[in-house]
Amino acid sequence: MYQYDEYDQRIVDERVAQFADQTRRYLAGELTEDEFRPLRLQNGLYIQRHAPMLRIAVPYGNLNSKQLRTLAHIARTYDRGYGHITTRQNIQFNWPRLEDVPEILDLLAKVQMHAIQTSGNCIRNVTSDPFAGVAADEIVDPRPWCEILRQWSTFHPEFAFLPRKFKIAVNGAKDDRAVIRVHDIGLDIVHNAAGELGFRVLVGGGLGRTPIIGEEVAAFVPWQQILNYCEAILRVYNLHGRRDNAYKARIKILVKALGAPEFARQVEEEFAHLKDGPSTLTEAEIERVASRFDDPALSALEQDAGYRAQLAGDKAFAAWARRNVRDHRVQGYASVVLSLKPYGVAPGDLTADQFDAVAELADRYAFGEVRSTHEQNIVLASVREADLFALWQDARAIGLATPNIGLLTDIISCPGGDFCALANAKSIPIANAIQDRFDNLDYLFDIGELEINISGCMNACGHHHVGHIGILGVDKNGEEFYQVTIGGDQGNQTTLGKVIGPSFAAAEMPDVITSLINNFIDNRQDDERFIDTVRRIGVESFKTRVYAERTARLEAKETAHV
C-alpha cells in the first residue's frame, strides 16, 4: 500500500495539532457551537443520535496490519469495543468522547491515517476496486491514480467549500467494482484506438433523495490532463451549483438541469483555460507516486495440488472457496473476502479482537495487507493457494468465514436509526431479521447471487437504490416503515431499482423478502440470477405476489383473532 512521504506526514501532523487546539478552545467556551461545527466536520467528527461519531479515511480501501492494530486499540480504549466499515470503504467509531478525539487522531497519524475530508462540503474519500492491483481482469492498477487524486484534492483551497459533498470513484478493470456510475465523478481507465492511456469520464451520478446514473461527458481524456479536466468539472459545479437548497445542491442536479451536453460544453470551455496548466501530470510524477506503494513482489507458483485435494475432500471448505475466494492475476495466488455478515451481527462491524485477529491473518497469509470494500467486507488481496485451507480454518475460528459473499445474507446496511440522527428508521434489526429467516446455507446457495441493500433514510448510505432488493426506512406518522425496490444493480450494468408499492411495517419485512424469493424461484429459468429474472419478467409479477400474500397473512391473522 501507499507509504507517506515527509509532506504527507507533515500535513496530517499539523492537522492533528490544529484540531486539538480547536477542541480545547471549544470545550473552554472560546468557540461557539456554530463556530466549532465546520471545524469538527472537516475532521470527520459528527454528532449522532447518542454520541459523537468519528469517520476515519481509508483511501481507496487500503489498510495494513499495523493500522488495524491501532484501530483495535481505539475501539477497545475509546469506543465500545468495535468499529464499522462504511460503503465508502471508511471506518467509523460510534461512541468516542469529544475530549478524546484529538488523542485518537494523534494515534492515527502515527500509523499514517487521518479523518481529513471525511465530512463537509468537500471532496471526500476517493474509492476504488478492493481488488485493485491483483484482479485478474485488471486493465491498469487504479491505486496510483486514486492517490494522485487524493493528494490533489486534500486541502485544495478552491474546493474546500463546495455547494455539497463530492465523491469520486476510479475503476481500472473490465468489471466495474467501484460503482463509478453513481458518483459525482466516475473515472474509467481506458485505452484509445491508438493504445494510449486515458480516462472515460462520467459526471452527475449519485443516490440519495434524487438517484441518478452518471452520464459520460468525455469518452477519452489523456492521463496527463485528468486533474485539469476534473478541476474544470469542479469549477463549473462551484460556479453554478445550488447553495440555497441542500437537497438540490449535488452536482447531479446541476447536470440534470443543464443537460449533459450543455454541462460537457461548459466543462470543455473551462478546460481550455486549464489544459497543460500547473496540474498537468508527468511520467515523473506518476512514477513518484507509484514508487511509494510497497506491494509484495509476487512470482508465479505452480498450482497447489494440496489445495485441489482439500477442495475435493472438504465440502465446507469448498463452499467457502466458491463464494469467498477470487481469481488473482498471478498464478498460484488468490484474493480472499472475509465476510463481516455472520448471523446476528450488524453488517460491516468488527470487534476490537477481530481487528487484531485480521491483522494477524494479514501478517501470516497476505503480506500484511488488507482492503475494505464498499460491500462492508474485508479483502486479503494476495494469498498463496497453498495457504487457503489454513486461512479458512483461522478465519472460521474468529467468525469471519461465513460463505455468503454475494448471497442474500451478505447484506449492505447503513447504521440507521440505532445511531444516525438523520435516519427515519432502524436498518440493523431489519438486516438481522432477514438473516435469521434465511439461515440455511444450502438454500442460500440454491437462490444464488442476490444483493440486498438497506438504508435508514433517503440519504441512501446503504445504496438501496442499486440493490437487487433495496429497502428504505421511512417515517409514517412517527412509526418506522420500509419501502421496497427491486431490479437495482451495480457494476457495468448499474441500474436503479423500482418501488414495488406501499411500504411495510418492520415485522413484515422477512415475509416480504420470502415472497420476493418465492416468486423468483417459481419464475427463474435454469440458473438465472434474481436480477436477471426481474429484468426478464418485470416488476409487476413480484408486486402482485408480495401484496397478495400480505393480504392473505393479514386476513388469516384477523380470522385467528376473531
Side-chain angles (χ1 to χ4, degrees), residues 129-131 134-137 175 177 307 319-330 332-338 373 375 377-383 385 388 403-407 410 449 451:
D129 181 1
F131 301 99
V134 300
D137 68 334
D175 286 335
R177 289 178 288 269
Y307 171 54
W320 175 79
R322 185 165 66 251
R323 295 308 323 170
N324 297 49
V325 176
R326 298 287 183 271
D327 290 340
H328 198 284
R329 65 178 175 82
V330 179
Y333 288 85
S335 297
V336 173
V337 186
L338 301 178
T373 79
E375 289 98 346
N377 291 309
I378 288 286
V379 167
L380 301 179
S382 299
V383 178
E385 282 187 355
L388 288 172
N404 65 342
I405 299 302
L407 301 180
D410 184 17
E449 292 183 12
E451 299 169 3

Side-chain angles (χ1 to χ4, degrees), residues 231-419:
E231 197 158 317
I233 291 170
L234 279 148
R235 282 192 175 183
V236 173
Y237 173 48
N238 219 358
L239 182 64
H240 298 299
R242 296 279 297 269
R243 294 180 184 271
D244 61 329
N245 187 328
Y247 300 118
K248 297 181 179 180
R250 296 292 294 273
I251 194 173
K252 62 187 177 182
I253 304 299
L254 176 62
V255 174
K256 186 176 181 181
L258 292 175
E262 172 59 19
F263 182 86
R265 186 196 67 78
Q266 293 194 27
V267 170
E268 288 293 335
E269 189 175 85
E270 189 67 40
F271 178 54
H273 301 293
L274 296 168
K275 187 177 180 180
D276 298 325
S279 294
T280 303
L281 293 170
T282 64
E283 290 187 6
E285 176 64 3
I286 303 304
E287 175 56 31
R288 179 190 70 80
V289 173
S291 69
R292 304 297 303 178
F293 285 82
D294 61 344
D295 295 341
L298 305 180
S299 299
L301 304 172
E302 293 293 327
Q303 290 192 330
D304 188 71
Y307 171 54
R308 301 294 182 272
Q310 287 153 347
L311 286 174
D314 193 312
K315 290 179 62 177
F317 174 61
W320 175 79
R322 185 165 66 251
R323 295 308 323 170
N324 297 49
V325 176
R326 298 287 183 271
D327 290 340
H328 198 284
R329 65 178 175 82
V330 179
Q331 180 180 296
Y333 288 85
S335 297
V336 173
V337 186
L338 301 178
S339 173
L340 304 189
K341 318 293 178 58
Y343 299 114
V345 174
D349 277 7
L350 274 172
T351 67
D353 288 347
Q354 286 175 325
F355 273 116
D356 276 333
V358 172
E360 181 63 28
L361 293 181
D363 283 339
R364 189 179 306 162
Y365 300 112
F367 306 95
E369 183 184 18
V370 166
R371 315 280 182 83
S372 58
T373 79
H374 78 266
E375 289 98 346
Q376 300 174 299
N377 291 309
I378 288 286
V379 167
L380 301 179
S382 299
V383 178
R384 285 181 285 268
E385 282 187 355
D387 291 334
L388 288 172
F389 188 79
L391 168 60
W392 169 66
Q393 292 179 310
D394 288 347
R396 190 164 57 165
I398 59 173
L400 299 180
T402 306
N404 65 342
I405 299 302
L407 301 180
L408 186 153
T409 57
D410 184 17
I411 296 171
I412 296 174
S413 174
C414 72
D418 284 309
F419 299 100

Side-chain angles (χ1 to χ4, degrees), residues 48-49 53 55 82 84-87 92-94 346-347 349 376 412-421 423 425-429 454-457 461-462:
Q48 295 285 71
R49 188 177 296 274
M53 180 271 282
R55 180 180 294 148
Y82 66 95
H84 175 74
I85 293 177
T86 78
T87 50
Q92 288 182 183
F93 289 109
N94 290 307
D349 277 7
Q376 300 174 299
I412 296 174
S413 174
C414 72
D418 284 309
F419 299 100
C420 182
K426 294 181 175 65
S427 301
I428 295 169
I454 307 175
S455 298
C457 75
C461 293

